[in-house]
Amino acid sequence: MVGAVEALLAVTALSAVLVMLAPNRVAGKLAFGLSLLPLAGSLLMYEGFDGSGNALLESGTLAFETNETWIQLGDIYALNWHVGLDGISMPLVVLTTILTSAAILSAWTPIDERQSQFYGLMLFMEASLLGVFVALDFFLWFVFWEFVLVPMYVIIGVWGGPRRRYAAIKFFVYTNIASLVMFIGFAALVFALPVTSFDLPLIAQSLRAGELGSLAGIGPETLKGLAFLALFAGFAVKVPLVPVHTWLPDAHVEAPTPASVMLAGVMLKMGTYALLRFNFTMLPDVAAEHAELIAIFAVVSVIYGAMLALAQSDLKRIVAYSSISSMGYVILGLVAYTTYGLGGATFQMISHGFISGLMFMCVGVIYNTAHTRMVGDLSGVADRMPVTAAVFVAAAFGYMGLPLMSGFAAEFFVFLGAFHSTVLGSAPLFTAAAMFGIVIVAGYLLYAMQRSLFGPFFTAEDYEITPAAAHDVVPLVVLLLAVIALGTAPELFYDQIQGAVVNLAENGGGEAAGHAAALLGGGA
């Protein structure tokens, strides 16, 4: 029987095929119309969500679950079609469908050749991303994980900027090698466990029960440490964390704006989602043992990413480097191992997805008209593009953590959870260092906005600056409303998230609950 998840994946994949076969002249409108089907489906699933707990823990109850044997590998291992949603994956599915529809609509202006192939690849990417968030068998999950690389590689390589081939190859090499390292680490764990399938809940519960044996003469404790390192290294590239971040700015700068929206808004979340599922859920003792080292990587990414953004003059590079900084907050929340740290990290994934997508979209709309993204080549754009400029300013303040916007709620949860962590040594020090990143964020965003949006009008390119078309403005407004909605009512997603992470928090989660409820009025 076809369940809701299968229907969601099938509709999205079929839509990609239909758009690929459509004439170029109608591909954009057809793709947008068809993208509304998985969007509507995800919202209906969100409304009917009845899961509880965490998908990988024994106490978890999945929503829309299907678990059937798919392929039997001899008498030893079985590959299952195991899909379902919990409070972590459900918000990410909604985020993916909303951003895909917005990105497709924003592509109507800049994409003027091979439209059928472009929009078909966008929908194929959406189907693969959805698969990553719903799959609960490692083999199935890995297939979707790898499929995501293909459309992004092609989109950057065909529709990208002047250095598109270099950026596409660099993106593919970095992420593919990372996938290989991660695969080896996880396979080593599976082969040392008394399991007969690649079912992620079964593997997670076996690891947490201490059933890991030796492999090739390597003892269980050493094996866990090496596997954790391999998994962390592989996923850190996807996040990305410093120092394995250098592929990201090149990919963003050369990618067309709709691809940048999906890359920053959803694809980076694959890394943090996988870290939460694999490293911090399956191997919590190893994560706690190396908590301070992981927190150092997180804080360095926050500060270094923000400093790199401060040094840029290309608006797209500024937003790209700011994503590295924002992902550092997610890692800090995860390693805190408190209810509000883990919940805040997951909420930050959703918040950053909307805000970063919105920021890239604003830059793209300005570039479509001005044909430049350089801060020194623009001035006074707000007079000619008032709506776009207003949304850009609002999105920037969301990035800075303005109250009543999702960025504030996400960072508040992360800082509160990190400050009260008993797993993380010197927790207040790490929290204070990460909070300093907000000051740098304000510096580079205010500088970029003041130089490009305000002051006397000037543009280095000889193009007329006019207000953006309605199909460019509508997705900006929709994403901004989503940012405000999650900022004023974080419980829209946070209640689901907290229910899925509460059992993962080993220490300190309860201490923060009362404070968060009093200050935010929801999600406790």
Side-chain angles (χ1 to χ4, degrees), residues 362-376:
C362 288
V363 173
V365 171
I366 293 173
Y367 180 77
N368 292 341
T369 300
H371 296 269
T372 181
R373 299 186 303 260
M374 306 306 292
V375 173

Side-chain angles (χ1 to χ4, degrees), residues 239-262:
V239 172
L241 285 176
V242 174
V244 288
H245 67 284
T246 57
W247 64 269
L248 182 66
D250 291 320
H252 270 310
V253 169
E254 300 305 322
T257 296
S260 289
V261 171
M262 297 303 294

Side-chain angles (χ1 to χ4, degrees), residues 189-514:
L189 288 177
V190 174
F191 295 150
L193 286 171
V195 295
T196 57
S197 76
F198 289 87
D199 189 69
L200 293 179
L202 180 65
I203 293 168
Q205 292 161 29
S206 182
L207 282 168
R208 291 173 71 96
E211 297 176 354
L212 187 69
S214 300
L215 182 68
I218 303 175
E221 293 304 314
T222 302
L223 182 60
K224 279 201 299 185
L226 292 175
F228 184 94
L229 177 61
L231 289 166
F232 189 88
F235 298 141
V237 173
K238 185 74 75 175
V239 172
L241 285 176
V242 174
V244 288
H245 67 284
T246 57
W247 64 269
L248 182 66
D250 291 320
H252 270 310
V253 169
E254 300 305 322
T257 296
S260 289
V261 171
M262 297 303 294
L263 179 57
V266 187
M267 284 188 66
L268 301 190
K269 312 309 176 291
M270 290 168 57
T272 50
Y273 172 80
L275 281 171
L276 174 56
R277 288 294 200 206
F278 291 81
N279 292 74
F280 292 94
T281 299
M282 296 185 181
L283 301 168
D285 52 338
V286 184
E289 181 182 353
H290 301 290
E292 291 196 13
L293 180 60
I294 296 171
I296 290 172
F297 275 105
V299 172
V300 168
S301 294
V302 169
I303 303 299
Y304 187 66
M307 294 296 291
L308 287 174
L310 186 62
Q312 305 305 311
S313 57
D314 184 326
L315 287 173
K316 212 173 185 185
R317 279 191 175 271
I318 290 174
V319 182
Y321 279 116
S322 69
S323 293
I324 299 172
S325 182
S326 295
M327 290 297 95
Y329 290 127
V330 176
I331 304 302
L332 181 63
L334 293 178
V335 79
Y337 263 118
T338 59
T339 304
Y340 277 86
L342 291 162
T346 308
F347 194 84
Q348 170 72 347
M349 296 183 209
I350 311 302
S351 170
H352 179 262
F354 283 121
I355 297 177
S356 63
L358 178 56
M359 292 284 286
F360 275 113
M361 217 171 278
C362 288
V363 173
V365 171
I366 293 173
Y367 180 77
N368 292 341
T369 300
H371 296 269
T372 181
R373 299 186 303 260
M374 306 306 292
V375 173
D377 293 345
L378 291 168
S379 178
V381 174
D383 288 340
R384 309 297 176 93
M385 306 179 72
V387 177
T388 302
V391 175
F392 194 117
V393 171
F397 278 110
Y399 238 130
M400 297 179 217
L402 183 73
L404 301 184
M405 303 189 81
S406 64
F408 171 79
E411 291 169 4
F412 174 80
F413 286 136
V414 168
F415 294 148
L416 187 60
F419 187 85
H420 286 275
S421 174
T422 57
V423 174
L424 181 62
S426 305
L429 180 62
F430 283 115
T431 306
M435 291 177 71
F436 181 70
I438 298 176
V439 178
I440 309 176
V441 170
Y444 65 71
L445 287 178
L446 290 173
Y447 170 79
M449 289 190 300
Q450 182 183 10
R451 291 288 303 275
S452 59
L453 299 182
F454 304 108
F457 176 75
F458 166 77
T459 177
E461 301 291 334
D462 189 21
Y463 292 95
E464 183 180 1
I465 308 297
T466 58
H471 62 259
D472 288 329
V473 173
V474 168
L476 301 183
V477 174
V478 170
L479 294 187
L480 179 59
L481 290 176
V483 170
I484 295 172
L486 290 180
T488 53
E491 67 271 14
L492 288 172
F493 282 148
Y494 195 77
D495 283 348
Q496 290 181 350
I497 292 170
Q498 191 177 45
V501 302
V502 65
N503 290 334
L504 297 179
E506 294 185 349
N507 296 289
E511 299 175 5

